[in-house]
Structures are given as C-alpha cells and as structure tokens.
C-alpha cells in the first residue's frame, strides 16, 4: 500500500507541474482521474484488510465483534 501511496503522490506532483505550466485542462483532468482511481483501489485494499482482520481475529465479545463488522460496513458505504 505504501508504494501505491508514493506513486499517487508522484502523480499529484506531476499534476501540480502541469497546472503550473498551464497544460490543457483535459490532460489535467485525465491525470486527476487516474489518481482518483488509484486512491479508490487503495481504499478498497484498506477496507479488505479491515474485513479480513474481523474474520481472522474475531472478538470473543459478540457486541464488540458486531461493532467491528459495522465499522467495516460503514467504510464500504462511505467509499
């Protein structure tokens, strides 16, 4: 995930340079869309990790387990 974040950071820096150099807005929007897709994939990975943790390490307290599962569901809904 860290490598993906660093790649997105590099893309954003490139977009900043494009804006500074007054590139065509279509090119800038295309690059912004690519960054958004990358971030969405990262969010999916983070949510999947949360769900996996709930399954692999269930809480012995049913209420706590329900809370953890609801947190994961809320992350999906926010996405």
């Amino acid at each position: 995930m860290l490598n993906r974040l660093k790649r997105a950071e590099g893309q954003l820096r490139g977009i900043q340079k494009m804006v500074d150099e007054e590139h065509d807005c279509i090119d800038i929007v295309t690059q912004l869309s690519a960054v958004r897709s990358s971030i969405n994939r990262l969010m999916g990975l983070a949510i999947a990790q949360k769900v996996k943790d709930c399954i692999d390490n269930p809480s012995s307290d049913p209420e706590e387990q329900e809370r953890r599962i609801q947190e994961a569901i809320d992350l999906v809904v926010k996405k």
Side-chain angles (χ1 to χ4, degrees), residues 17-30:
K17 185 176 177 184
M18 290 174 73
V19 169
D20 188 48
E21 295 173 354
E22 299 181 0
H23 281 245
D24 189 55
C25 70
I26 293 173
D27 296 332
I28 293 169
V29 170
T30 299

Side-chain angles (χ1 to χ4, degrees), residues 8-19 21 23 31:
E9 179 183 26
Q11 286 176 301
L12 285 170
R13 284 193 185 124
I15 294 168
Q16 289 173 341
K17 185 176 177 184
M18 290 174 73
V19 169
E21 295 173 354
H23 281 245
Q31 291 304 311

Side-chain angles (χ1 to χ4, degrees), residues 66-77:
E66 177 63 28
R67 185 191 64 75
R68 292 175 65 208
I69 291 171
Q70 188 59 52
E71 281 180 349
I73 291 169
D74 291 345
L75 288 172
V76 171
V77 171

Side-chain angles (χ1 to χ4, degrees), residues 33-56:
S33 178
V35 171
R36 180 173 48 192
S37 293
S38 176
I39 296 298
N40 284 343
R41 276 185 251 122
L42 276 165
M43 289 173 60
L45 288 171
I47 292 167
Q49 184 61 41
K50 173 76 173 171
V51 171
K52 186 176 182 327
D53 184 55
C54 287
I55 293 168
D56 290 348

